[in-house]
Amino acid sequence: MQQHLAQPRTPARIPRIRRIRTLRGLFAATAATGGLLAASLPGTAGAAANPYERGPAPTVASIEAPLGHYAVARTTVARSSVTGFGGGTVYYPASTADGTFGAVAISPGFTGTQSSIAWYGPRLASQGFVVFTIDTVTVLDQPAGRGRQLLAALDYLTGGTSPVRNRIDPSRLGVMGHSMGGGGSLEAAKSRPSLKAAIPLTGWNADTTWPEVRTPTLVVGADGDTIAPVALHSEPFYTSLPATLDKAYLELKGAVHRTPITPDTTIAKYSVSWLKRFIDADTRYEQFLCPLPAPGPTIVEYRGNCPHS
Ligand code: 9J3
Ligand code: ZN
């Protein structure tokens, strides 16, 4: 919506009088909102700017782009240097000019390593997040273990020996994961309700009920998944999350269990929007989540609650 207002368009088929009325309506609404806020917050001129917003105003092109606004640096965390998870790679905005960023830890699936989720590193970090793609203690670890390891990775990232701790706001953290790693992201959110966002990607978990979760959660499933069929995993995950929670269910079209391990524009654009909206409280991204995205070439179904609270 905003980018349409910002871009002057040829008004050939829009009557002049209607344009003026629309613009006047816009200014009137803005003035009324400002007045209301000023009245309810004595001593302030209006709404305070969101201190967590990072990067320019988003567009469809910017959330779909292979790389975002920030140049990305990376550093390796050796397995031998940590406990509770298997080390990994940290991807982060190279610049310190914009202050700290929220952080996201991402777990691979059963038998997988960080290489299977590596594409999320630069993709998400370039949008303004510190991203930790981890290896697990063993590649056979189950979802509960992967959940604990995601939390250990976040604790490492924000702790005293982290090479990036000064770049992170430790109060704004999230988790993602593929398959059993996605199941692990639900485990992590369940045990740490202070997490701001969770995104299980073709998640797998023997526990399919998540009423305990208080973290805004985007559940991503694949219509052709025969390893974690959506009817047995992603759909019950989504349905069992509290009705009052900010939650969404994105079912990818023409996709399979391993679709999330290679770059995918649909996964990226909604993951970026979800992380921005809930880790950064950046309402500029609400436009991509509400009203609910319609089914289309890459989306079978999108469910959720709108508007987000
Ligand atoms: O094919 C895969 O990457 C399997 C990952 C996984 O966690 O499967 C759960 C049954
Ligand atoms: Zn449960």
Side-chain angles (χ1 to χ4, degrees):
M1 200 60 98
Q2 266 171 323
Q3 70 270 33
H4 294 298
L5 290 173
Q7 289 168 352
R9 303 171 67 192
T10 309
R13 289 153 65 194
I14 307 170
R16 165 173 278 257
I17 186 77
R18 179 164 168 84
R19 279 177 13 243
I20 290 168
R21 233 196 251 134
T22 304
L23 284 171
R24 282 174 62 197
L26 180 70
F27 285 124
T30 306
T33 306
L36 214 71
L37 285 165
S40 60
L41 296 170
T44 67
N50 174 5
Y52 306 139
E53 280 185 12
R54 297 290 180 273
T59 62
V60 170
S62 77
I63 62 171
E64 291 185 345
L67 289 171
H69 173 74
Y70 293 98
V72 175
R74 76 189 64 190
T75 189
T76 297
V77 176
R79 175 183 291 274
S80 58
S81 71
V82 299
T83 54
F85 66 107
T89 305
V90 185
Y91 302 83
Y92 57 95
S95 171
T96 54
D98 289 354
T100 57
F101 297 92
V104 186
I106 312 180
S107 168
F110 191 66
T111 74
T113 67
Q114 59 168 308
S115 65
S116 67
I117 47 166
W119 75 273
Y120 295 96
R123 188 96 176 208
L124 300 178
S126 68
Q127 297 283 346
F129 297 100
V130 175
V131 180
F132 199 3
T133 56
I134 68 167
D135 280 312
T136 48
V137 174
T138 86
V139 295
L140 306 182
D141 293 337
Q142 296 297 298
R146 289 170 196 270
R148 290 189 292 271
Q149 293 181 46
L150 284 166
L151 297 179
L154 290 174
D155 291 341
Y156 169 81
L157 213 52
T158 56
T161 62
S162 166
V164 292
R165 74 178 186 284
N166 294 327
R167 296 172 183 270
I168 298 175
D169 178 349
S171 72
R172 299 187 294 111
L173 305 175
V175 286
M176 299 174 64
H178 173 237
S179 194
M180 282 195 193
S185 71
L186 290 165
E187 303 273 0
K190 175 177 169 177
S191 59
R192 190 174 291 181
S194 62
L195 293 180
K196 302 299 188 197
I199 309 180
L201 303 156
T202 59
W204 188 100
N205 202 312
D207 181 353
T208 61
T209 59
W210 300 94
E212 309 91 347
V213 170
R214 297 294 177 266
T215 295
T217 300
L218 167 61
V219 177
V220 178
D223 61 352
D225 192 334
T226 56
I227 295 168
V230 294
L232 301 180
H233 293 275
S234 290
E235 290 184 321
F237 298 167
Y238 170 78
T239 304
S240 66
L241 290 164
T244 52
L245 186 68
D246 283 312
K247 62 173 181 173
Y249 173 62
L250 165 61
E251 187 173 323
L252 302 168
K253 189 172 189 165
V256 296
H257 186 64
R258 293 166 70 89
T259 292
I261 70 176
T262 48
D264 181 280
T265 302
T266 304
I267 294 174
K269 71 189 282 191
Y270 293 107
S271 295
V272 166
S273 297
W274 198 261
L275 299 175
K276 286 282 192 177
R277 176 66 185 80
F278 295 107
I279 291 184
D280 293 354
D282 192 336
T283 54
R284 298 177 301 173
Y285 288 81
E286 180 83 353
Q287 63 182 311
F288 309 116
L289 304 172
C290 294
L292 296 179
T298 66
I299 299 178
V300 177
E301 182 185 8
Y302 191 106
R303 298 183 228 167
N305 58 311
C306 283
H308 295 296
S309 50

